[in-house]
Amino acid sequence: MLTADRTLRQKMGPRSPQFAGTVAAGFTVYRNSITAVCADGTLVPAGSTGTPSAPVAILGLARHMQINTANFPGTGPGVGGDIAVDCLTGCYDLPFDTAPTWADKGKPVYAVDDETVSLTQTPEGGTARLQVGVFAGIDADGTAYTEI
């Protein structure tokens, strides 16, 4: 799980619609974290447990960090649950748990947590993961990209 904002490379192309939501109480999303939407409409980092309701879909990558925890001592636009977080869509270099190959092009990609993705929907002994998007391809330098 992420503990800070991160930077990702992006391949430009057509974009899907972007949606926003507020962060669930007790959670923090970081910039470019894979963000899930719960059944109640609140946002949590993908792979979170103890959510207010079940995570039902991946919304995209959080545009900015938003802290909605009671123990954070600050104030401002990045703190609290009343600020909506836009979730970005597009083609990004999300890290994979196991490196994909060109034979995987077009296959579904699933969230392991808010940082990592996988081509495996249900790991051995685990529960089903939410789909992030599809495997888009591999850049000339070997970087794998996911279309969200």
Side-chain angles (χ1 to χ4, degrees), residues 7-127:
T7 302
L8 295 170
R9 292 188 294 176
Q10 179 183 15
K11 293 281 188 187
M12 297 309 291
R15 293 185 92 133
S16 299
Q18 296 178 17
F19 295 93
T22 56
V23 176
F27 290 89
T28 297
V29 296
Y30 294 97
R31 181 172 52 93
N32 286 328
S33 63
I34 302 168
T35 305
V37 62
C38 296
D40 67 358
T42 60
L43 304 180
V44 296
S48 293
T49 58
T51 57
S53 61
V56 294
I58 298 297
L59 213 53
L61 303 178
R63 183 181 290 270
H64 69 271
M65 180 180 73
Q66 189 70 33
I67 302 165
N68 193 12
T69 60
N71 61 351
F72 189 78
T75 61
V79 179
D82 57 345
I83 303 294
V85 176
D86 288 324
C87 290
L88 305 171
T89 58
C91 190
Y92 294 93
D93 67 332
L94 300 173
F96 278 79
D97 60 351
T98 302
T101 68
W102 276 109
D104 298 313
K105 183 168 173 42
K107 288 185 179 176
V109 173
Y110 304 95
V112 173
D113 55 28
D114 66 339
E115 179 178 15
T116 309
V117 294
S118 177
L119 293 170
T120 304
Q121 181 180 18
T122 307
E124 188 174 324
T127 57

